[in-house]
Amino acid sequence: MPVAIITGASRGLGRALAAELAGRGWRLVLDGRDAEVLRSAAAGLERTAAESGAGGHTDAAVVRAVPGDVTDPAHRAELVAAAEQLGGVDLLVNNASALGAEPLVTLAELPVAGLQRALEVNVTAPLALVQAALPALRAASGSVLNVSSDAAVEAYAEWGGYGASKAALEQLSAVLAVEEPGLRVWWVDPGDLRTDLYAAAVPDDPDFAERALPEEVAPALLRLLDEKAASGRYTASALRDGR
Ligand SMILES: NC(=O)c1ccc[n+]([C@@H]2O[C@H](COP(=O)([O-])OP(=O)(O)OC[C@H]3O[C@@H](n4cnc5c(N)ncnc54)[C@H](OP(=O)(O)O)[C@@H]3O)[C@@H](O)[C@H]2O)c1
């Protein structure tokens, strides 16, 4: 069975992607800082996978919770080691993210330390995790899915620090795709989602209740896997519309 590492998988989009993959019989290594929340999410996914008999692994442990912070090099090494124990790395999803300020503020007010944290979590850690997983990814002709944002390419007031970090993630992804033609590298804007991250960014968003749930978006993102999509930038809205 193929193996995926998913960062930020205890809730939101990461957990929704993990649930989709668990349902398809994938073996999963999940990351998040809050160990209790992560273990509870992993146990729930494992139960669902066992109940659906996904991949025939009805009693095998297919979901490993590896708590930690993606900015910690030792934790990143643990994630890759756990995946290798399960058979390798077929897919790396860099999904964990930091906003830089909660709620968001203008660039005039953005603490420099907040921007540094956003760059650490959203750019440095994903690259370092790609580097750590690269031998296994190359061996599997695997895929990297870097979760970006429309804030990477649009100038929205107050989204400057976070958007700059996602723009950097997108450029790293594009260059990685050129340098590693044996891999598939996708960088994806999932659209606005009804999650903790969005609520922390814009606590009084009047349209929050109408935002898509991550569970509605995750299947569309996995079309990239199903269709062995070429490396490139994708949006969830186009993938959901079948484009
Ligand atoms: N929500 C939106 O509207 C939206 C729009 C565009 C793009 N995105 C992107 O979509 C992705 C998922 O966001 P979401 O809305 O699903 O967020 P979310 O619901 O807040 O979930 C974030 C996940 O990341 C984990 N996490 C955060 N910082 C971490 C760190 N330093 N190390 C390890 N794990 C960490 C969190 O668990 P812990 O807190 O326990 O660590 C949690 O599991 C992000 O890349 C985000 O930028 C979201």
Side-chain angles (χ1 to χ4, degrees):
M1 276 296 130
V3 181
I5 299 172
I6 306 175
T7 69
S10 60
R11 51 190 156 84
L13 182 62
R15 187 177 60 184
L17 288 168
E20 282 295 316
L21 291 172
R24 295 161 183 228
W26 279 59
R27 300 180 154 221
L28 303 175
V29 175
L30 308 185
D31 146 280
R33 290 165 302 175
D34 186 319
E36 204 178 315
V37 176
L38 184 68
R39 291 208 176 96
S40 154
L45 295 177
E46 208 167 75
R47 260 195 314 276
T48 311
E51 279 160 17
S52 69
H57 296 278
T58 47
D59 55 4
V62 295
V63 186
R64 292 267 163 85
V66 182
D69 191 313
V70 288
T71 62
D72 174 1
H75 171 60
R76 293 192 298 260
E78 266 187 317
L79 291 171
V80 176
E84 283 172 339
Q85 274 176 6
L86 293 179
V89 185
D90 297 276
L91 173 66
L92 167 61
V93 182
N94 280 310
N95 168 77
S97 191
L99 288 163
E102 299 181 10
L104 294 171
V105 291
T106 63
L107 288 174
E109 299 164 301
L110 181 65
V112 169
L115 174 62
Q116 284 167 337
R117 175 69 183 166
L119 291 169
E120 275 283 306
V121 175
N122 303 349
V123 187
T124 309
L127 174 63
L129 198 45
V130 166
Q131 289 174 341
L134 206 43
L137 281 165
R138 284 178 178 148
S141 299
S143 306
V144 178
L145 196 170
N146 288 330
V147 181
S148 185
S149 167
D150 56 343
V153 293
E154 301 287 344
Y156 300 126
E158 300 188 345
W159 291 85
Y162 169 84
S165 73
K166 292 294 192 180
L169 177 65
E170 295 212 359
Q171 183 64 356
L172 283 185
S173 308
V175 173
L176 183 68
V178 171
E179 292 175 347
E180 298 289 337
L183 306 184
R184 290 189 169 78
V185 183
W186 306 305
W187 51 110
V188 180
D189 163 18
D192 291 341
L193 302 173
R194 210 183 317 160
T195 65
D196 292 352
L197 180 135
Y198 198 93
V202 189
D204 43 14
D205 172 27
D207 301 322
F208 188 68
E210 277 113 64
R211 308 271 176 220
L213 288 169
E215 292 73 20
E216 295 166 338
V217 166
L221 298 195
L222 292 188
R223 278 188 51 209
L224 297 169
L225 271 179
D226 296 339
E227 296 171 14
K228 297 185 172 25
S231 293
R233 184 177 200 276
Y234 294 86
T235 66
S237 61
L239 289 165
R240 286 176 87 182
D241 292 350
R243 285 179 275 143

